[in-house]
Amino acid sequence: AAAAAFAAAAAFPSSSNLVSSQIPDTRNSTRRTPRPTTVTVRAMTSTSTTSIGAPLDGDSLPPRRRRRRAPSSLASVVAVASPLLFLILLLSSLCFDVVSSASDAAPNLDEPFQTSFRLLPHAPCVSLYHRFGRVGCGTLARSTMTGRLLHWSAVIIDDEDGSGKGVLKAKVPPYVAVVEEEDYTTDSVEKLLAFAEEADKVYAAADDEAGAGVLRGVLVINSTASAGDSDNGENNDAAHYSPDPQTPRGYGTPSENLAVGPNYAWNPNGDALALKNMYGLPAGYIPDSSVSSAILEAAKEQGSVVAEMLAKGRELSGDELYPAINAEFNYYMGGSDLNSKDCLGWRDVDDGTWNPKCLPLGGNSVWAAAGTPEGSSDGGDAAADDGGRRKLEDANANADDDDGKKPVVLLATNLDSTSMFHDASPGANSAASNVLALLLAAKLLGSNVDDAALDALPNRPVFAFFQSETYGFVGSRAFLRDVAYPGFSCDEGASVPASIKKKDSWMRQGCLHPFRTSLDFQNLGKIKGMISVDQVGVLSNEGNFYVHGGQNVGDGDGDGGDNGGDDGDGDGNRRLDGDGDEDDAFLANVLLQLGSDDYTISSSSVEKDDDDGEYPLPPTPLTSLVKLSGGAAGGAVLAGYDDAFAGNAYYHSHLDLNSTARPINLDSIAAASTALARAALAASYDDGTGDYEGAAQYASDLIPALSSSDDTLEKLARCLLEDGNCDFLVQYGKVERANIKQDTGTDLGMGTPLGTPPTYYPGVYDSSNGQGFVQVGTGRYGSYTGEEEYGKSNADAFLLRPSLLESAVHGLLNDFLGRGGSASSGEDGEEGDGDGEDELISCEGTDDCSSVPYCSSSPADRAVCTGSKKCVCSRSNYHPALDEALIPAPNNFTGFFLVRDGEDENDDADEGVSAMYTEPFWSWKVGVTVYRDAGGKSGNWALGMGLAVAIGCATSAWLVKARLGKEKLY
């Protein structure tokens, strides 16, 4: 109507044009006597002529001619246009008020001009391939899927068997089910699918949506009230739901061949929705509470109408169907009937071009050895000369293997977590609490025991943060296979300086094929054991940790390598303490000595499995060590649970948050950090006698207890639990980026952010997301065996773009463990203030750290700048977290991967045991739109009324114009 009013107004000439073109202007003119003029005046019905021999004067005009005076004409136009202008202004004012009120108030689908729902803010569901098939959601083919919002309770038949078969008589319109987050379970999804199957029998699938049935998708809404109840430590509270199976990474999963005790139900609240293939059923999670409320209200209102229809067995009329609130999913996430091997090897049908349709899940693990580095990697050859490769005669004297490398004790955890939704994997207890505890343990050790004291000990502690553990222990198995099981071998001549620009001052080596950005892991000695940490932020029993492991010993017949069976005791049982006692593993017993007044540490009550004779291990990096070594190496897990995960753990759920309903306990994390730091020192102190009590006492005397109000702990907790893009982490990320640029001459930018709130989903593995590559001349390759010689250009280098979390952990480990001789030391613990801050040299970049007094003279001990803007000794390394079945394709850019075939002399064939998870490429248009559909009838009425108004306005304008013409006003 407003547009029609504008059109009508435009049909009128302006008042100024009427004056200038229709009325002679006699103002300020010279009066003279003109010759007689004949003026024709046309009336509606007759024509007459009048001779006028006098000048035109308004006072002498006949009555009809008076209307031609300028003031009268302007008044006519104003009189006609004023109502139209008033209408336009009124409509504009109303629209402005509506827009203003809509923007100020909470989102409401009943209000016009809403933008909150056009591109719905949400987290998309996970969609993955693996070795055996597919899991997760997605639309059918590339078509959108659209349906009205209905509350899920209206579109299920909750009968005894949950099938609802044979009960539908009415035709149900296409719909999107709206589900509260606590109800999004396997049981609910099965009921939705059963109802839809019956409804499809009376509904003709729409041709424009690839044959989709009535169920077009699922929207999961934020309803945190249901997560507010605590179970006070009870392990079987079904309200605290987990989408993972009850046997995480065990029986029935693609990773079951990798587990120790795969049949054990660690996760009693799990229902395995994460393993369900929901191709054709897209789903998204809406985290915003106000948007969720609006969506839920609309779904319940529309759902009640459909429920009434079903109850009466009749179809909805047009008036009942519309207007409707609809959701449209544009959610193409790869095709069906594929597995990871198929999509990685995909070739275009037309020309056979290799064009993969997915990428592996992966990233970079981060590890750091405490104490002075033993030497520089040289591609696998022993290097123990006097030229600076290994300067630690005192450490070598304590070494117990042939090449002089000290045995290592690993302290390890996972960097990642997952959920049903890519961008909503907060992992507060399953990831962040573990990372916090182990980082602070490294800080405790590094700030209280200096390098000289650590170098004098028989064993070396190594801290490791493994990436993509959730998807088949990817990071830990990749690292352990390279270090020892069976060990890494670089192609002949492929071990080269990691940076040509820094080759004279930096001894780090890389391997062109099989590709490794660093070979520093080859400096590690035999793996003596591992301590893992898991879920210590939420305890199943307040004030109590539990130790798992120590019982899983074997005969040393593992996968091969340097560690196999060296320390057998003669009866098939390898013990870290050497006493052959089946119940007395050294690392487990050390942990049991390290409780405090507020937190006790007890043995787990998990018993041996009668079927396979194994003691089940919870899914942690220790699982990889025991499995790969065949029991030749073992260890212990420090966990916040006994025989099952804590009842309110929300394991691998989007509800694993740090919330007021279930906060992460910083007191328990501080206690776990203290125990881990002391255990690391005690394990390094052990000389093979197995005196775990003496070792624990030695460590407790040197390392004080960490307070939960420690400034670093509080800062890191805010970052890892609430704001993953906090200034603290970003500062470390920026300095790591600058260090890489100074070393290689190439700035790759910051890696993938952690997010706000943080999300620990590992992500895909390519050059933008952690895959290392080598620059040779002007080319970049994921692995290289080409003819052009590496090193001819000063720009040749091994390049890496780790995520913000990975780079921050890398920098923090350097900061915590790399203070060299500046840390406090001595058994009385009285030297220095414990952090050596005053002694450290300030820096802006690594080039400012060319010479520092507290790093050793060994060329392998290099000073670097960290996020604290202090020069420290380099201790951290990255290691690729890529499924063991895959290798980067030689002489291709990143993103191209081959399944191991065993043809390469340094490359074993795929053993068929890994999960091999990949993520299919998404459509760039993936998203959800929610909108109001008025229906065809309402649309036709609106169109008809609009046309009628437009025709009326145009007719009125034409009549007015004609009348003005007759009046000589146009």
Side-chain angles (χ1 to χ4, degrees), residues 640-729:
Y641 51 85
D642 181 13
D643 58 344
F645 297 160
N648 56 347
Y650 294 108
Y651 186 70
H652 288 172
S653 165
H654 67 282
L655 295 175
D656 183 10
L657 298 158
N658 178 40
S659 64
T660 54
R662 193 219 61 177
I664 297 299
N665 189 340
L666 294 189
D667 287 331
S668 67
I669 290 177
S673 298
T674 302
L676 290 167
R678 291 172 175 173
L681 185 58
S684 301
Y685 177 81
D686 177 46
D687 58 2
T689 62
D691 181 11
Y692 55 83
E693 291 179 336
Q697 187 62 52
Y698 166 80
S700 297
D701 290 342
L702 283 180
I703 297 179
L706 180 70
S707 169
S708 60
S709 61
D710 178 82
D711 182 59
T712 304
L713 172 59
E714 290 183 341
K715 283 181 181 178
L716 276 173
R718 283 193 295 270
C719 294
L720 298 179
L721 296 171
E722 298 171 11
D723 180 10
N725 298 332
C726 66
D727 292 341
F728 187 67
L729 290 187

Side-chain angles (χ1 to χ4, degrees), residues 50-80:
T50 304
S51 274
I52 302 176
L56 294 175
D57 189 336
D59 293 336
S60 61
L61 291 177
R64 187 180 298 273
R65 298 287 301 276
R66 292 177 186 273
R67 299 174 188 174
R68 296 183 59 190
R69 292 184 302 173
S72 298
S73 301
L74 181 60
S76 300
V77 174
V78 171
V80 175

